[in-house]
Amino acid sequence: MSSVFSFIGELKSFLILWFTQLLSTLGSSMTSFALVLWSYQDRGSALTTALLSVCSYAPYVLVSIFAGALSDRWNKKATMLCCDTFAALCTSTVLLLAASGQLHMWHLYLLNGLTGLMNTVQQPAADVAVTLLTPEKHYQRVSGLRSLSYSLNNMLAPALGTALYTLLGLEWVILFDLATFLLAFCSLLLFIPIPQGPKPERTESLLRSTQAGLRYLCENRGILDLILFLAAINLTASMFNAALPALALTRPWGGENVLGLVQSVSGVSMLGGSIAASLLPAPKSRVRVICNTLLLAMSTENFILALGRDLSLWCVGAALGWVGIPIMNANLDALFRSRIPVDIQGRVYAARNSFQFFTIPVGYLLGGFLVDQVFEPLAAALGPDSLWAALFGTGKGAGAAGLFLAMGFLGVATCLLFRRDKRIWALECQG
């Protein structure tokens, strides 16, 4: 018991930040989920819906490297507060447009892009703030707690978002989002002192400061290759996310509640994985854990969603696909924090964001395009007596199911390819 009180005492500021940001992220995710439902019901297009996420992630590709250099120079707390405020203003604009009946898809694309830009600047500052608030001996537990918050978010956001959206409408989902923002903002402003940490030289130009993050990755090829591995996984994962509404909302056993339930099961599974990540001791090989958990994810859910024709099977697939992800994230986070010097973490994390996340908008575009323009027309053209119909059924959604099978093979091949990368395994030998 004394160790628990000691843990809480040493991490008081982090725990306040973690809990309030958990609530704020939950509100934002509920809004995002409700907007997916609204846009798919309005247009019935996987590509149109996927463009919402493309606009959110595009800033990571375009400006993330520069954002990290600025983050290392700027006050971390002020950066987080300003970025959160701007994002809340964008959300408030969506609320006003929806309440007046003037909300259109182009509004959401523009506002998602602006919110994504703020998140691009905020994330490196938040990552460094966590390092500054956390003693090194607690890195894995803190990583587990961050995975726990991600899991709770994935578990609760679809269920709560669907319930509020169905019962009260989009406006009430957004109001909940803004209320959680206000709580997180006031907590950070009043109760969480964030040390500044070491600063780069004032005379260093922005370009030279940006190059420092890129140079570190080029000189540490094991970390760079691991980031590229995750980028390849993100390509498949974002295609998955783009195609999932088109599959779950159109199958005979599907619908809004089914989509929410499958994603909630993913969250419950991640919750279990997060608890395990928080309690397990450090493994002998973090790289092995990362590779094995990703292989488990890629070799289960895609295949089960493609071939399963029962909601219970889909839930089993969701559980298997996500249970290992928090354990992977905790070990990846601990590996990065222990290897990358804190004085350049913001720049390195920003460079990592550009490399690791550039495949996400590509995957969303590709997934939406393949569903609408390739796999659904192909399924319709083959007819009810074809092998395709025997495997995936008929009607709308059969094409999306075929895409899920292809994504399963792509994900497994990616894991097996990068497991052979000796530079990634060499990270185990570094201090």
Side-chain angles (χ1 to χ4, degrees), residues 20 23-28 175-185:
T20 54
L23 294 178
S24 181
T25 302
L26 175 62
S28 299
L175 285 171
F176 179 83
D177 183 4
L178 293 174
T180 57
F181 152 75
L182 187 61
L183 174 63
F185 180 91

Side-chain angles (χ1 to χ4, degrees), residues 167-420:
L167 296 176
L168 300 175
L170 179 62
E171 293 87 346
W172 282 94
V173 181
I174 299 175
L175 285 171
F176 179 83
D177 183 4
L178 293 174
T180 57
F181 152 75
L182 187 61
L183 174 63
F185 180 91
C186 292
S187 298
L188 177 58
L189 178 65
L190 300 175
F191 303 116
I192 304 173
I194 299 178
Q196 256 309 96
K199 297 181 180 180
E201 291 293 331
R202 293 282 185 180
T203 56
E204 187 177 51
S205 68
L206 178 61
L207 181 59
R208 187 177 297 274
S209 181
T210 299
Q211 290 173 341
L214 294 172
R215 184 168 57 250
Y216 179 88
L217 292 180
C218 291
E219 293 172 353
N220 294 266
R221 287 300 306 273
I223 292 179
L224 177 58
D225 286 8
L226 186 55
I227 290 171
L228 294 177
F229 177 23
L230 296 171
I233 292 295
N234 282 338
L235 178 67
T236 303
S238 53
M239 290 170 61
F240 173 98
N241 290 330
L244 184 59
L247 180 72
L249 295 175
T250 56
R251 297 273 75 187
W253 55 89
E256 294 175 5
N257 293 330
V258 168
L259 177 60
L261 178 60
V262 170
Q263 294 197 327
S264 294
V265 169
S266 300
V268 172
S269 182
M270 292 180 68
L271 178 62
S274 298
I275 294 172
S278 300
L279 298 178
L280 289 172
K284 294 182 179 179
S285 172
R286 294 193 187 278
V287 171
R288 187 177 302 279
V289 171
I290 293 168
C291 291
N292 288 345
T293 50
L294 287 175
L295 181 60
L296 173 65
M298 292 294 107
S299 62
T300 52
E301 186 176 17
N302 286 315
F303 293 106
I304 293 175
L305 290 183
L307 300 173
R309 301 190 186 185
D310 181 82
L311 177 58
S312 60
L313 282 177
W314 278 18
C315 290
V316 170
L320 291 174
W322 290 96
V323 67
I325 298 302
I327 299 173
M328 183 278 294
N329 282 330
N331 281 275
L332 179 70
D333 191 57
L335 188 65
F336 282 170
R337 291 189 191 281
S338 63
R339 297 290 189 275
I340 303 171
V342 67
D343 59 316
I344 63 168
Q345 274 188 13
R347 285 164 283 177
V348 175
Y349 283 161
R352 174 202 66 181
N353 290 346
S354 290
F355 286 114
Q356 184 175 328
F357 299 135
F358 85 93
T359 54
I360 291 181
V362 175
Y364 271 102
L365 283 173
L366 187 59
F369 173 81
L370 288 174
V371 169
D372 288 348
Q373 304 299 324
V374 179
F375 281 84
E376 288 294 343
L378 176 62
L382 290 174
D385 297 325
S386 64
L387 176 61
W388 189 286
L391 289 173
F392 309 118
T394 59
K396 194 169 185 180
L403 176 58
F404 271 81
L405 184 68
M407 289 189 297
F409 286 115
L410 175 62
V412 170
T414 300
C415 291
L416 295 179
L417 176 64
F418 277 91
R419 282 178 70 95
R420 300 171 61 87

